[in-house]
Amino acid sequence: MTQKKWYHCLVGDKAFYKMVLLIAVPIIIQNGITNFVGLLDNIMVGRVGTEQMSGVAIVNQLMMVFNISIFGAISGAGIFGAQFFGCKDHKGVRNTFHFKIYACLGLVLLGILIFIFFGEELIMLYLHGEEQDEAALQAALKYGKEYLAVMLIGLLPFGVEQIYSSTLRECGETVVPMKAGVAAVLINLVLNALLIFGYLGFPALGVVGAAIATVISRYIQAAIVIIWTHRNAEKLPFIQGAYETLKIPSHLVGNIIKKGMPLMLNEIMWATGMAMLTQCYSVRGLDAVAGLNISSTITNLFNVVFIAMGSALSIVVGQLLGAGKLEEAKEADYRLITLTVFSCLVMGGLLILFAPLFPMLYNTTDEVKNLATAFMRVSAACMPLHGFMHATYFTLRSGGKTVITFLFDSAFVWCINIPVAFVLSRYTGMPIIPLYLICQLVDLVKCMVGLILVKKGIWLNVLVGEKE
């Protein structure tokens, strides 16, 4: 292939990037503001103390498993939703909406039961240290339990909001979820200041105040998206008569389960895998937990670009596949992967440059600050790898290759990443930073596998015509 053809294959024209930006920018803005306010939330809790910050960080790590489980449940149906919308089958979109309702409400109930009966045991998995650290560990456990008790109230609105917002995005409506997210995080920020520190006569509730603020903001976000969707039914045919019946055609249920169950299991296992990796790192002590918390909060802010590019890729490629435009889907996919990696090089470079400044905002020890800076620089250096993996994952998923994505994503984490982290953390005296770096670089293998799978084109499939 000539250099000119390679360039044309990997780089699009202005119209292509304008189309991508119209989808990606609202998602970037929403996720960026969400993560920025999450950063401010984290800093506010971190200003109270290291134990409070660690307790909240552990619970949020556990909550991530629930959040991503919800994402996995709706993503399986979302593959079909994007393709149904691409071929203008609004009844099909409505049916996928119904499937999401059943899946999410079931997960919300399951999540509440697990956290009520096993919450304390799960938090304790992350609390390690020397005997002299016992008081700090008990304090972190106490604050984590207080925070978790309130956060349970916010599981239902989170699930409902995800049902609506994901369907809107599949229909090309990304601005409203963005506006709802922006409103929610700004409300969360204001309530954090009032309820954590007790400004303007409010009670100073510490970590409980942070949880209350988050729960209130989630109810508001869900209300905004739900009300707007039903008030604009003429623009969104799928919502017209959506609750007249919640029946779903059996053949579609079978197809969604066949394609979506591996995806949902993948998301759940990936999230639990990430929680397990953090648990391995926590063996190095409470300082490592606190440093990772600061690092992940900052890194998430810089990751919003490639995360949004994954969502844009799934929407663009999914709609092209649904319309039967396989060559256009392949061309768009290559260009979006290239754009994702390039954005990671830029954002990773910025994070390496500014990494030492962020830990200074926290009321914690110099050791924790130094660890956080080092964690951030490792994550920044590996960001292009993560961006490429993210894009290839969404490529395979958009064509319904969910069994392969399961093996590519969560199976790799559990069979490769976790055993490496477990052995290095338990059976060597390796310091936490080189240990963390090695665990990140293991993903080079996944990148090579992803490249091979994408080039083979096994993901170029039209799903919405399936009846069996």
Side-chain angles (χ1 to χ4, degrees):
M1 186 178 291
T2 65
Q3 183 177 355
K4 185 175 181 180
K5 286 184 178 179
W6 270 110
Y7 180 85
H8 177 74
C9 181
L10 300 178
V11 180
D13 55 18
K14 289 182 179 179
F16 174 79
Y17 291 116
K18 181 179 179 180
M19 178 266 295
V20 171
L21 289 176
L22 285 173
I23 296 173
V25 168
I27 301 174
I28 291 172
I29 292 173
Q30 179 184 354
N31 291 344
I33 293 177
T34 300
N35 282 284
F36 180 70
V37 175
L39 167 62
L40 295 179
D41 186 8
N42 191 262
I43 291 172
M44 289 180 189
V45 175
R47 298 296 298 175
V48 180
T50 302
E51 291 80 12
Q52 289 89 336
M53 179 175 65
S54 297
V56 170
I58 291 168
V59 173
N60 283 335
Q61 182 72 51
L62 298 172
M63 281 291 172
M64 183 191 76
V65 177
F66 169 79
N67 294 346
I68 293 183
S69 298
I70 292 289
F71 175 74
I74 63 177
S75 294
I79 297 172
F80 291 83
Q83 293 204 14
F84 277 129
F85 183 79
C87 64
K88 304 185 186 307
D89 183 350
H90 301 298
K91 183 179 179 181
V93 177
R94 186 183 304 123
N95 287 328
T96 63
F97 177 76
H98 292 160
F99 185 92
K100 293 177 186 179
I101 292 174
Y102 289 117
C104 287
L105 293 183
L107 282 174
V108 167
L109 178 60
L110 179 63
I112 291 173
L113 292 174
I114 289 174
F115 285 129
I116 286 176
F117 290 105
F118 302 104
E120 181 174 348
E121 289 81 0
L122 291 171
I123 295 170
M124 290 178 66
L125 290 174
Y126 294 81
L127 297 175
H128 301 276
E130 304 297 331
E131 189 173 335
Q132 61 268 26
D133 298 329
E134 184 61 28
L137 296 174
Q138 289 301 316
L141 174 61
K142 171 181 174 293
Y143 293 123
K145 288 168 60 179
E146 292 176 353
Y147 184 76
L148 176 61
V150 178
M151 288 294 288
L152 291 179
I153 305 171
L155 298 191
L156 178 60
F158 176 81
V160 174
E161 187 272 330
Q162 288 294 305
I163 293 168
Y164 275 80
S165 291
S166 63
T167 308
L168 290 179
R169 292 190 186 102
E170 289 151 20
C171 296
E173 181 55 69
T174 59
V175 175
V176 173
M178 176 198 73
K179 289 180 177 179
V182 170
V185 296
L186 291 177
I187 290 167
N188 188 23
L189 175 60
V190 173
L191 292 176
N192 274 334
L194 297 177
L195 297 175
I196 293 175
F197 301 110
Y199 294 148
L200 301 180
F202 281 80
L205 301 176
V207 298
V208 173
I212 293 172
T214 299
V215 169
I216 291 174
S217 69
R218 284 186 173 180
Y219 276 96
I220 292 173
Q221 183 175 2
I224 292 172
V225 173
I226 292 169
I227 292 171
W228 187 91
T229 300
H230 287 276
R231 283 185 175 177
N232 291 270
E234 70 283 355
K235 293 170 57 178
L236 301 163
F238 82 88
I239 204 64
Q240 297 174 13
Y243 291 102
E244 290 178 3
T245 177
L246 292 178
K247 291 182 179 179
I248 312 170
S250 59
H251 70 84
L252 179 61
V253 173
N255 280 338
I256 292 177
I257 290 176
K258 184 172 75 172
K259 298 293 184 182
M261 188 59 69
L263 181 60
M264 184 176 74
L265 291 176
N266 174 72
E267 297 294 344
I268 293 172
M269 288 183 64
W270 181 87
T272 54
M274 292 300 102
M276 184 62 187
L277 282 174
T278 301
Q279 197 278 331
C280 290
Y281 301 141
S282 73
V283 171
R284 291 294 185 264
L286 205 58
D287 283 352
V289 174
L292 274 170
N293 171 56
I294 296 172
S295 170
S296 62
T297 304
I298 305 299
T299 303
N300 287 342
L301 184 60
F302 282 78
N303 285 345
V304 294
V305 176
F306 85 72
I307 297 296
M309 291 304 301
S311 298
L313 186 152
S314 66
I315 292 169
V316 172
V317 174
Q319 290 181 0
L320 289 172
L321 290 175
K325 301 176 180 178
L326 303 188
E327 282 304 313
E328 289 184 34
K330 184 176 182 180
E331 184 178 79
D333 182 71
Y334 286 179
R335 291 171 176 176
L336 285 165
I337 291 175
T338 303
L339 181 59
T340 300
V341 174
F342 177 77
S343 70
C344 287
L345 290 171
V346 174
M347 299 304 291
L350 292 173
L351 180 54
I352 289 175
L353 183 63
F354 294 109
L357 302 180
F358 294 106
M360 295 170 62
L361 300 171
Y362 289 80
N363 178 26
T364 188
T365 64
D366 289 339
E367 176 64 19
V368 171
K369 292 177 182 178
N370 292 334
L371 284 174
T373 300
F375 281 132
M376 277 186 274
R377 284 181 162 163
V378 170
S379 298
C382 297
M383 195 179 293
L385 299 180
H386 297 148
F388 182 82
M389 288 189 304
H390 191 70
T392 53
Y393 167 79
F394 273 97
T395 298
L396 297 170
R397 204 191 77 174
S398 65
K401 290 297 180 182
T402 51
V403 174
I404 292 177
T405 59
F406 174 82
L407 297 173
F408 174 72
D409 203 28
S410 62
F412 187 92
V413 169
W414 279 95
C415 295
I416 306 296
N417 293 100
I418 291 175
V420 170
F422 186 88
V423 170
L424 292 178
S425 63
R426 263 76 171 184
Y427 300 106
T428 75
M430 182 180 294
I432 184 62
I433 298 304
L435 189 158
Y436 183 72
L437 175 60
I438 290 173
C439 292
Q440 300 299 304
L441 291 178
V442 168
D443 286 335
L444 280 167
V445 178
K446 190 189 288 188
C447 286
M448 290 186 284
V449 174
L451 177 61
I452 293 170
L453 293 175
V454 170
K455 285 189 69 176
K456 286 193 173 203
I458 60 174
W459 51 276
L460 291 166
N461 303 300
V462 180
L463 305 176
V464 293
E466 294 182 358
K467 298 295 180 186
E468 309 267 55

